[in-house]
């Protein structure tokens, strides 16, 4: 598929919720040198959904592998997790957009439940709460940084999440309306903060977290974790948005 290929209709187990046609779902997969993980990840994207692999400067042939496996490939020259995620969002034309890491630590097939919660009108944003499976799945320093940020998020917004993980689903048009500006490690947190300010119903669901293929570009080291925490603290320092920008349904909520 080319980057301009329209998103296909969702698989039958997700109900029709956009007029007379089936809901369309894109899964955005930020990618930087994930050649070893891509076959496993793309095999698990639900049938009928479109995988949008955003190549963020890979040198290991990731883009060619993704394309050969049927994914839509988008190139983003600006380095940064947020830049890659936002490029995928911009390339999407689906009703529902999902995000998932591309390192084989998370199974995209688990997003079926996330999407159903959104299409059924039970939640506006569903976030995966990572549950480590086996040694090495989640380094202690990365877990500690995540706990600290979750606490700061709770103080800032009142939303009680345990994890700010990368697996999530929401309506694309509503997410675009949030006007996210971070293009580094703060992108996932800014999404939650602005969604909370807009009154979205935010829910988290447990997902198995597996040892990843290769080394994390963000939290694989103490230095990387520190930079991520710094970016996210800057997001938390933003003044609350009072206007219901990007509001999806109207009820404010916390974790399930």
């Amino acid at each position: 598929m080319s980057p301009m290929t329209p998103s296909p209709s969702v698989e039958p187990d997700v109900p029709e919720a956009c007029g007379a046609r089936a809901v369309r779902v894109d899964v955005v997969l930020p990618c930087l040198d994930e050649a070893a993980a891509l076959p496993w990840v793309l095999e698990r994207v639900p049938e009928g959904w479109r995988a949008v692999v955003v190549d963020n400067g890979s040198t290991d042939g990731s883009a060619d592998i993704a394309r050969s496996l049927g994914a839509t490939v988008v190139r983003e020259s600006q380095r940064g997790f947020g830049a890659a995620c936002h490029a995928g969002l911009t390339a999407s034309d689906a009703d529902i957009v999902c995000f998932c890491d591309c390192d084989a630590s998370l199974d995209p097939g688990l997003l079926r439940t996330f999407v159903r919660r959104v299409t059924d009108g039970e939640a506006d944003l569903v976030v995966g709460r990572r549950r480590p499976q086996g040694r090495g799945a989640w380094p202690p320093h990365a877990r500690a940084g995540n706990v600290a940020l979750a606490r700061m998020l709770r103080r800032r917004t009142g939303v009680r999440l345990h994890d700010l993980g990368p697996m999530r689903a929401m309506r694309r048009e509503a997410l675009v309306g949030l006007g996210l500006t971070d293009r580094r490690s703060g992108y996932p947190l800014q999404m939650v903060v602005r969604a909370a300010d807009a009154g979205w119903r935010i829910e988290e669901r447990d997902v198995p977290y597996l040892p990843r293929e290769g080394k994390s570009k963000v939290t694989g080291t103490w230095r990387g974790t520190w930079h991520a925490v710094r970016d996210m603290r800057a997001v938390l320092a933003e003044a609350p948005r009072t206007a219901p920008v990007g509001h999806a349904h109207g009820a404010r909520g916390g974790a399930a």
Side-chain angles (χ1 to χ4, degrees):
M1 294 184 183
S2 71
M4 298 305 293
T5 303
S7 304
S9 297
V10 76
E11 63 175 43
D13 70 339
V14 176
E16 295 190 358
C18 292
R21 62 174 175 79
V23 176
R24 294 176 298 152
V25 180
D26 281 345
V27 183
V28 175
L29 299 158
C31 177
L32 177 57
D33 294 331
E34 304 291 4
L38 274 166
W40 186 93
V41 172
L42 292 177
E43 182 183 19
R44 285 160 176 77
V45 173
E47 183 178 356
W49 297 16
R50 182 172 69 156
V52 180
V53 174
V54 183
D55 181 30
N56 203 204
S58 299
T59 59
D60 65 351
S62 288
D64 291 336
I65 292 172
R67 196 175 292 109
S68 72
L69 293 171
T72 295
V73 175
V74 175
R75 295 188 182 275
E76 174 51 57
S77 59
Q78 180 182 347
R79 284 292 183 92
F81 182 77
C85 287
H86 205 71
L89 173 63
T90 301
S92 174
D93 65 351
D95 303 300
I96 304 293
V97 64
C98 305
F99 294 87
C100 185
D101 275 352
C102 198
D103 56 12
S105 62
L106 294 163
D107 182 349
L110 298 172
L111 286 163
R112 290 186 182 92
T113 302
F114 289 40
V115 170
R116 183 172 290 280
R117 295 292 293 173
V118 175
T119 57
D120 284 352
E122 299 297 328
D124 301 315
L125 170 62
V126 184
V127 181
R129 181 183 183 183
R130 291 168 288 184
R131 295 294 197 177
Q133 308 292 306
R135 297 184 61 183
W138 201 355
H141 58 272
R143 196 179 310 189
N146 186 74
V147 169
L149 286 166
R151 289 173 178 168
M152 288 188 278
L153 173 70
R154 188 175 305 172
R155 289 197 296 269
R156 164 66 173 75
T157 66
V159 174
R160 300 176 64 86
L161 294 182
H162 299 86
D163 187 14
L164 298 170
M167 178 176 271
R168 47 190 66 190
M170 72 294 297
R171 295 188 179 275
R172 180 190 60 83
E173 186 175 353
L175 177 58
V176 170
L178 293 181
L180 303 185
T181 57
D182 191 281
R183 295 295 181 265
R184 303 204 312 179
S185 301
Y187 190 87
L189 178 61
Q190 188 179 55
M191 185 187 300
V192 175
V193 169
R194 292 198 175 181
D197 287 349
W200 288 23
R201 294 163 299 172
I202 303 172
E203 175 180 301
E204 68 177 3
R205 303 186 71 87
D206 288 356
V207 293
Y209 192 47
L210 309 172
R212 58 160 291 141
E213 288 281 350
K215 188 175 183 180
S216 172
K217 288 79 175 176
V218 177
T219 58
T221 65
W222 279 99
R223 181 181 178 84
T225 299
W226 163 245
H227 283 301
V229 170
R230 183 187 60 187
D231 290 346
M232 293 183 186
R233 291 187 71 172
V235 169
L236 290 168
E238 289 183 357
R241 287 187 156 202
T242 55
V245 177
H247 185 29
H249 283 287
R252 181 167 183 149

